[in-house]
Amino acid sequence: MAIIVAIFADHTRELHFLPKLKQSLASVPAGLAIAFVIFVAGYWGLHRTFFGAEGQQQQAGLATHSYNPEHPHGPQAAGGIGAPPTSGPAEHGGHGGPGGAADTTVLTPPEQTPANAAYEATMSTMHRPMMEGMRHPDPDVAFMLGMIPHHQGAIDMARVQLQYGADPQARAFAEHLIGEQEAEIDQMRQWLQQRGVESGSR
């Protein structure tokens, strides 16, 4: 189309533009060849950077992500947020191991005491009814239904403290908390009863 327009624009009809057009087009293949070489060299350079000369991904150099408990075996940066704790000098800011490499040995958690197990049981007992209560469509009722098991969980924790704890101040606080939380649970159940809402047996 452009050539047709150029022919009509040339009033002499002698096609004086053809030599210049041929001269301009002669440089196109060379330019394309140079661009192709640059592209291939850049791609291969990046490929070697990420995958190495053998074509295997260099995961150790790409471990920049924080620890994800759902994918614990993926590449992760040492000391990333949520990463498992490490032991040895690296844990305290040093550089243990040969060649200054950080020690990434995972510490095992301490053995659970009877008090620890009892505290955890109070949380597992509280969580399900609290979440169920907060799903109520009325936000006021949801608050009351969620707070009753929440208060009950605090009472259960206070009873664990009284069973295993020895500090006089902590024991006094636990006893006070039980009385306060039980009274508030009664008030919330009365509020729900006035509105015809079942608050559960606990």
Side-chain angles (χ1 to χ4, degrees):
M1 185 69 184
I3 293 176
I4 293 173
V5 172
I7 290 172
F8 279 102
D10 187 1
H11 63 280
T12 64
R13 303 291 189 270
E14 294 179 3
L15 304 180
H16 296 295
F17 64 91
L18 282 180
K20 291 183 179 179
L21 180 62
K22 289 180 181 178
Q23 184 180 2
S24 299
L25 292 177
S27 62
V28 171
L32 287 174
I34 293 171
F36 180 74
V37 169
I38 293 172
F39 172 78
V40 170
Y43 174 81
W44 182 244
L46 285 175
H47 188 274
R48 285 179 62 90
T49 300
F50 286 111
F51 295 96
E54 304 297 324
Q56 296 180 351
Q57 189 172 6
Q58 307 296 309
Q59 290 190 352
L62 296 176
T64 58
H65 299 289
S66 296
Y67 176 73
N68 183 349
E70 294 181 5
H71 303 286
H73 302 296
Q76 298 138 13
I81 298 172
T86 57
S87 63
E91 184 180 28
H92 305 289
H95 301 284
D103 184 358
T104 57
T105 305
V106 177
L107 290 175
T108 56
E111 287 189 27
Q112 194 176 49
T113 66
N116 296 144
Y119 280 131
E120 285 189 16
T122 65
M123 293 296 99
S124 60
T125 303
M126 173 190 74
H127 184 74
R128 184 184 57 80
M130 185 172 72
M131 297 304 295
E132 287 178 356
M134 290 191 296
R135 292 190 186 103
H136 195 282
D138 185 319
D140 297 323
V141 173
F143 172 74
M144 295 295 185
L145 290 176
M147 286 305 295
I148 289 173
H150 182 271
H151 276 35
Q152 186 62 53
I155 292 169
D156 294 343
M157 286 185 66
R159 288 179 176 151
V160 172
Q161 195 284 327
L162 291 175
Q163 181 180 358
Y164 295 101
D167 183 82
Q169 282 185 307
R171 291 179 63 82
F173 185 79
E175 290 171 351
H176 174 76
L177 184 143
I178 290 171
E180 292 291 324
Q181 301 286 302
E182 284 179 340
E184 290 183 4
I185 287 175
D186 289 340
Q187 292 172 4
M188 288 186 283
R189 282 187 173 148
Q190 289 173 15
W191 185 93
L192 290 167
Q193 188 176 10
Q194 291 169 2
R195 288 154 181 80
V197 180
E198 178 63 39
S199 61
S201 58
R202 244 194 111 181

